């Protein structure tokens, strides 16, 4: 499973990259707005840290303006992936970008019929938001399962990018289902390594290691 980092913080990206577990980065308008630099500057700096796919989202919602934005964004660096909202103009845009061999990430996916549309037009990634579905009292993991079944049934090449991940159990579950990618907040990646028995065991080993005769 590939790990993308869901952030625009260069420090967080550098840290996870230095560990050797960073496969790419996703951003969205809210994440970019939390960074004081310009949109183009942030994406360009992220692309200097990683060669992996870096998702940059269009900020308009009409086909012609999104197409212009997509071209401007894809000129920033070779590894920029155009993030497109799941609306009909967005599906039309992905259809055109697929013909032009520009990679896309279709975002704000909350149903399997939406995911089917994205795959039909050749999206590189589909981003189902599982945490936001859980917030409404439904089970976001069911959506990942359904999309996996549909994509397998028809041999769609679109990769399932599990998004809106909130905790390590989400990672366990989406990897069991077979999602191709998970995009994770920094804090969740850090939590993946934690286990109380590891801490207790390590403390005892460190203590006992002092009694070892060299
Ligand atoms: C993914 O591409 C999105 O940026 C992200 O996962 C949304 O997560 P949130 O629901 O925690 O904002």
């Amino acid at each position: 499973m590939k790990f993308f980092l869901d952030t625009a913080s260069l420090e967080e990206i550098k840290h996870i990259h230095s560990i050797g577990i960073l496969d790419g980065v996703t951003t969205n308008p809210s994440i970019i707005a939390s960074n004081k630099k310009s949109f183009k500057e942030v994406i360009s700096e992220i692309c200097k840290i990683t060669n992996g796919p870096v998702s940059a989202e269009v900020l308009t919602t009409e086909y012609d303006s999104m197409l212009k934005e997509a071209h401007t964004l894809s000129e920033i660096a070779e590894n920029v992936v155009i993030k497109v909202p799941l609306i009909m103009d967005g599906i039309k845009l992905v259809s055109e970008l697929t013909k032009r061999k520009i990679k896309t990430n279709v975002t704000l996916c909350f149903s399997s019929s939406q995911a089917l549309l994205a795959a039909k037009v050749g999206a590189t990634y589909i981003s189902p938001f599982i945490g936001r579905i859980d917030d409404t009292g439904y089970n976001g993991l069911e959506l990942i399962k359904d999309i996996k079944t549909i994509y397998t049934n028809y041999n769609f090449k679109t990769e399932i990018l599990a998004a809106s991940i909130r905790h390590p159990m989400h990672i366990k579950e989406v990897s069991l289902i077979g999602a191709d990618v998970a995009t994770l907040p920094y804090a969740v990646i850090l939590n993946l390594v934690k286990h109380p028995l590891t801490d207790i065991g390590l403390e005892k080993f460190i203590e006992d290691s002092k009694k070892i005769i060299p």
Side-chain angles (χ1 to χ4, degrees), residues 128 130 140-149 160 162 174 177 179:
I130 59 176
L141 294 168
E142 291 301 321
L143 176 58
I144 304 281
K145 274 187 209 158
D146 288 348
I147 298 172
K148 180 75 186 172
T149 303
I160 302 172
V174 299
I177 296 165

Side-chain angles (χ1 to χ4, degrees), residues 155-168:
N155 200 21
F156 283 125
K157 297 288 173 259
T158 301
E159 293 191 36
I160 302 172
L161 194 173
S164 188
I165 298 255
R166 300 279 161 80
H167 47 71

Side-chain angles (χ1 to χ4, degrees), residues 103-116:
K103 290 189 175 168
T104 51
N105 173 359
V106 180
T107 189
L108 290 168
C109 173
F110 294 96
S111 78
S112 46
S113 54
Q114 291 178 322
L116 180 57

Side-chain angles (χ1 to χ4, degrees), residues 6-7 26-31 55 57 83 105 107-108 127-132 135 161-166 183-185:
D6 200 25
T7 187
T26 52
T27 65
N28 62 39
S30 310
I31 287 172
S55 290
E57 190 160 340
K83 206 170 177 192
N105 173 359
T107 189
L108 290 168
S127 288
F129 277 33
I130 59 176
R132 292 194 195 186
D135 291 344
L161 194 173
S164 188
I165 298 255
R166 300 279 161 80
T183 189
L184 307 158

Side-chain angles (χ1 to χ4, degrees), residues 83-102:
K83 206 170 177 192
V84 180
L86 227 160
I87 52 177
M88 215 37 117
D89 271 25
I91 294 298
K92 183 178 170 186
L93 177 69
V94 172
S95 177
E96 181 58 28
L97 295 178
T98 302
K99 283 180 207 141
R100 299 184 190 197
K101 300 203 180 325
I102 294 175

Side-chain angles (χ1 to χ4, degrees), residues 12-171:
E12 292 176 0
I13 296 167
K14 280 180 194 161
H15 181 213
I16 300 304
H17 178 67
S18 74
I19 298 168
I21 54 172
L22 184 76
D23 298 304
V25 174
T26 52
T27 65
N28 62 39
S30 310
I31 287 172
I32 294 288
S34 68
N35 192 305
K36 298 255 175 336
K37 295 174 190 164
S38 78
F39 185 14
K40 198 176 166 187
E41 197 180 348
V42 178
I43 297 299
S44 164
E45 288 183 5
I46 295 173
C47 290
K48 283 178 194 149
I49 303 170
T50 176
N51 293 326
V54 174
S55 290
E57 190 160 340
V58 294
L59 305 177
T60 58
T61 53
E62 276 147 22
Y63 176 78
D64 289 332
S65 56
M66 286 193 290
L67 184 61
K68 272 189 204 141
E69 277 191 82
H71 278 292
T72 309
L73 291 171
S74 56
E75 277 164 11
I76 297 175
E78 273 187 7
N79 51 330
V80 168
V81 171
I82 307 303
K83 206 170 177 192
V84 180
L86 227 160
I87 52 177
M88 215 37 117
D89 271 25
I91 294 298
K92 183 178 170 186
L93 177 69
V94 172
S95 177
E96 181 58 28
L97 295 178
T98 302
K99 283 180 207 141
R100 299 184 190 197
K101 300 203 180 325
I102 294 175
K103 290 189 175 168
T104 51
N105 173 359
V106 180
T107 189
L108 290 168
C109 173
F110 294 96
S111 78
S112 46
S113 54
Q114 291 178 322
L116 180 57
L117 278 174
K120 271 187 77 63
V121 289
T124 315
Y125 303 102
I126 182 70
S127 288
F129 277 33
I130 59 176
R132 292 194 195 186
I133 294 176
D134 290 356
D135 291 344
T136 63
Y138 292 87
N139 184 354
L141 294 168
E142 291 301 321
L143 176 58
I144 304 281
K145 274 187 209 158
D146 288 348
I147 298 172
K148 180 75 186 172
T149 303
I150 292 168
Y151 283 11
T152 305
N153 285 349
Y154 294 97
N155 200 21
F156 283 125
K157 297 288 173 259
T158 301
E159 293 191 36
I160 302 172
L161 194 173
S164 188
I165 298 255
R166 300 279 161 80
H167 47 71
M169 282 305 285
H170 272 153
I171 301 300

